Amino acid sequence: MHPPERLDRFMARANTIYYATHDPFADFTTSPEISQVFGEILGLWAAVVWRMLGSPGPVLLAEAGPGRGTLMADALRAIGRAAPDFAAALRVHLIETSPRLRTAQAARVPEAVWHDSLDTVPEAPLILLANEFLDALPIRQFVRRGDGWTERFVADGAWIEQPADNAQVPPGRGAAEGGIVELNEPARAFVAALAGRLRRHPGVALLVDYGPASSAAGDSLQALARRKPVDPLSPPGSADLTAHVDFADMAETARSAGAAVQGPVTQGAFLSALGVFQRTAALARGRSETQAAALREGTRRLTDAAAMGDLFKVLVVASPGCGTLPGFAADPGR
Ligand code: SAH
């Protein structure tokens, strides 16, 4: 018998083992791994944003949770071709806790400087990218019981509930009896720290993840092993644990900490506004029919509402007074 472990502590422990011992991409795939156009478009977006910020130099091009380093490598390649002045001004900083993934990142982005957290990233003008970073951070879950709440713990591979401090439960999610409300404290802390930096120095953070635009009750904890859903309470480290990102909560956290927010918009709308179909067509020209079809299929998966286009959202946290950024026009083309 182990003492009961609060869900966020279980999830943190499980994911630390998981990311240290697995190639996560055998178990799930992500937008940068689906298509090179994802990282290229984010890189070109960063170049346009850098000019809107007044072309500061040096500027940090940072990424949180860079996985295999694919997004950053694709972004840097596109930036090098289209915006050599930005390429010369930027310094790459990667926030990554897994030694194993740092090694993979170093093979693709050898010039990077690594950090365990945002805390040690230098204070400077900043453009930060993150794809599927916040969803990997550990959540707490509260269960509506009568007039109050309990909190979910894990004991010997099974769920148990213990009395909760009602004041910690995020309000306004409308959970019925037995319904679950989630709280991602490290995501809030990350966004609040980011907002503080963006108040002190010009910059933006582009946060791409999966989850609803408005807060709602519900259990979104998901475990994947070999691309199939498994029990989240499988032995720690045997599966990748993620949960929906509450974009309304992230936006509120950023605003309360003094930053501006744009979006969230859907990934499909964002990539379309930035010309993903034109870029895909241009890349496909001069390739074999098989390669061209693979590029088109990748873009379809990233943008199609039934695939990743609607569930994935893009949120910007920015310095106050930053103009409307590409992809975030109030009423895109309608
Ligand atoms: N962005 C990549 C990888 C997503 S997987 C992609 O889209 O393919 C989540 C990433 O976040 C992994 O690189 C994982 O090691 C990293 N990560 C998870 N928790 C972290 C933490 N607390 N601090 C820093 N990195 C973390």
Side-chain angles (χ1 to χ4, degrees), residues 171-210:
R173 267 65 171 172
E177 176 66 22
I180 286 180
V181 163
E182 297 178 339
L183 170 62
N184 191 332
E185 290 177 319
R188 278 187 177 174
F190 177 80
V191 166
L194 205 50
R197 278 167 183 265
L198 297 171
R199 244 181 22 227
R200 296 187 289 272
H201 303 276
V204 305
L206 185 81
L207 307 173
V208 188
D209 228 305
Y210 81 122

Side-chain angles (χ1 to χ4, degrees), residues 63 272 304:
E63 186 180 354
S272 305
D304 195 307

Side-chain angles (χ1 to χ4, degrees), residues 15-94:
N15 274 349
T16 301
I17 304 173
Y18 177 80
Y19 284 109
T21 54
H22 282 68
D23 175 0
F25 303 95
D27 292 316
F28 61 89
T29 191
T30 57
S31 297
E33 302 299 331
I34 288 173
S35 174
Q36 69 184 80
V37 298
F38 187 79
E40 290 173 353
I41 294 243
L42 265 54
L44 298 174
W45 181 88
V48 174
V49 169
W50 177 67
R51 284 192 219 296
M52 288 178 69
L53 294 171
S55 308
V59 59
L60 310 186
L61 181 62
E63 186 180 354
R68 281 177 173 161
T70 309
L71 190 168
M72 187 55 84
D74 290 339
L76 290 172
R77 190 179 59 250
I79 292 165
R81 287 196 193 131
D85 50 347
F86 178 41
L90 67 82
R91 308 284 178 271
V92 180
H93 287 258
L94 301 178

Side-chain angles (χ1 to χ4, degrees), residues 196-273:
R197 278 167 183 265
L198 297 171
R199 244 181 22 227
R200 296 187 289 272
H201 303 276
V204 305
L206 185 81
L207 307 173
V208 188
D209 228 305
Y210 81 122
S214 48
S215 307
D219 173 12
S220 77
L221 183 66
Q222 163 174 295
L224 285 182
R226 276 164 226 87
R227 296 175 198 249
K228 298 232 158 53
V230 297
D231 180 1
L233 303 190
S234 305
S238 63
D240 174 62
L241 295 177
T242 60
H244 281 179
V245 171
D246 182 338
F247 280 94
D249 192 63
M250 294 297 103
E252 181 49 36
T253 301
R255 279 196 201 97
S256 312
V261 166
Q262 296 181 30
V265 297
T266 64
Q267 175 167 294
F270 179 75
L271 294 176
S272 305

Side-chain angles (χ1 to χ4, degrees), residues 104-123:
Q105 292 153 20
R108 289 183 173 80
V109 192
E111 70 270 37
V113 177
W114 279 266
H115 303 269
D116 282 327
S117 77
L118 184 63
D119 298 348
T120 53
V121 174
E123 289 268 349

